[in-house]
Amino acid sequence: AEQQFRIAKDKLGHKHAHLWQGLGQLAFLKGDYQDAIKQYKIALGIRPDYYIYMGLARVYLRAGEYNNAQQALEKSLIFIKSSSTAYILLSFAHYKQDDLTSAEAALQKALSFTNKPGSFIPNFPICVRGLGDVYTLKNVIRCVEAAVPHKDF
């Protein structure tokens, strides 16, 4: 798949954002976070959108760059303002930066859209269900911390 992306990149040039997004995803899956960040930023330079910002945020979260993750998540919310998943991850990014007030506010925002946010985070719903379906900040952080290293994150 990676070779096909590289061939397409050579033929299409720098004009197709989702091609670069795909290259970012491949680099992320290989654990090459710096290359993933580079590819996602190229994609954003062509055509910013929610999914590209969310991909970039995932890379930053996995790499432990929580301030950068926060910025990418905030930008993703410009495109889809009611993304409970983005707000859950934003809550986690704030928490990891010791900003508990903002972490709680982001969690409450996620809960304002749905009573079961985070369904697109690997194993998150199962984790929270195991904690009695209680969406406290402590439980949410515990479940996101379990999800971030997951291969499907």
Side-chain angles (χ1 to χ4, degrees), residues 49-51 53-54 70-91 94 106 109-110 113:
D49 76 13
Y50 169 81
Y51 298 101
Y53 276 117
M54 287 296 287
Q70 173 192 332
Q71 291 174 27
L73 290 162
E74 288 169 348
K75 289 178 181 174
S76 78
L77 289 163
I78 293 169
F79 297 92
I80 299 181
K81 294 173 179 35
S82 61
S83 171
S84 64
T85 298
Y87 277 109
I88 288 289
L89 296 176
L90 183 59
S91 176
H94 283 302
K109 191 75 169 176
F113 299 120

Side-chain angles (χ1 to χ4, degrees), residues 11-61:
K11 288 182 179 180
L12 298 173
H14 295 307
K15 297 191 191 272
H16 298 279
H18 284 60
L19 172 67
W20 294 98
Q21 180 184 9
L23 289 170
Q25 175 68 12
L26 284 172
F28 174 74
L29 292 172
K30 290 188 327 186
D32 187 347
Y33 303 141
Q34 291 310 309
D35 187 42
I37 290 166
K38 176 183 164 191
Q39 305 304 333
Y40 278 115
K41 285 184 173 183
I42 291 170
L44 288 169
I46 297 168
R47 190 177 64 80
D49 76 13
Y50 169 81
Y51 298 101
I52 298 171
Y53 276 117
M54 287 296 287
L56 180 61
R58 282 183 18 204
V59 176
Y60 283 135
L61 287 171

Side-chain angles (χ1 to χ4, degrees), residues 6 36 109 111 119 133 136 143 149 151:
R6 300 279 178 203
K109 191 75 169 176
L111 291 170
S119 59
D133 275 336
T136 63
C143 292
K151 68 178 179 60

